[in-house]
């Protein structure tokens, strides 16, 4: 996962909020890695939607509520920013 993440970051531009460090993809990777590691014990966390996955990771006790809240808020802000930058 880390090698794939490094390759994606190499091709980014300076203002890339999706692939840059701390961007959308970092949150997506954190969610996906956690899903892969915990899915055998908690299959309900396996959903493709990032926001729903964060909610389920918190609801099942995999992540503390404060972490889920911060990731959800940051992911939403980054997603909106990236979408608006594409429209500009």
């Amino acid at each position: 996962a880390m090698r794939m993440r490094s390759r994606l970051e190499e091709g980014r531009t300076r203002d890339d909020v999706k692939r840059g460090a701390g961007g959308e993809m970092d949150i997506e990777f954190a969610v996906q890695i956690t899903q892969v590691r915990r899915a055998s014990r908690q299959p309900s966390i396996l959903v493709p939607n990032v926001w729903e996955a964060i909610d389920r990771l918190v609801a099942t006790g995999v992540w503390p509520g404060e972490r889920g809240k911060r990731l959800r808020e940051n992911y939403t802000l980054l997603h909106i920013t990236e979408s608006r930058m594409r429209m500009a």
Side-chain angles (χ1 to χ4, degrees):
M2 294 307 293
R3 280 184 296 207
M4 184 167 56
R5 176 69 185 96
S6 294
R7 279 191 310 231
L8 289 169
E9 193 168 328
E10 287 173 8
R12 73 178 179 92
T13 60
R14 194 175 64 108
D15 58 347
D16 192 338
V17 297
K18 179 141 182 100
R19 294 186 294 170
E24 283 180 273
M25 289 186 97
D26 281 346
I27 295 172
E28 292 166 356
F29 272 117
V31 168
Q32 292 166 0
I33 288 169
T34 305
Q35 287 175 314
V36 168
R37 288 182 177 166
R38 301 295 293 261
S40 65
R41 290 172 278 177
Q42 293 169 311
S44 67
I45 65 173
L46 288 176
V47 291
N49 180 280
V50 175
W51 288 282
E52 187 177 349
I54 291 170
D55 291 344
R56 289 189 185 196
L57 289 167
V58 170
T60 57
V62 174
W63 282 353
E66 186 59 32
R67 177 184 296 165
K69 180 181 178 215
R70 281 193 322 264
L71 287 173
R72 186 178 235 295
E73 289 171 354
N74 291 332
Y75 188 75
T76 299
L77 175 64
L78 290 165
H79 188 73
I80 290 169
T81 301
E82 193 251 342
S83 294
R84 288 185 179 164
M85 289 174 69
R86 272 190 280 130
M87 291 191 306

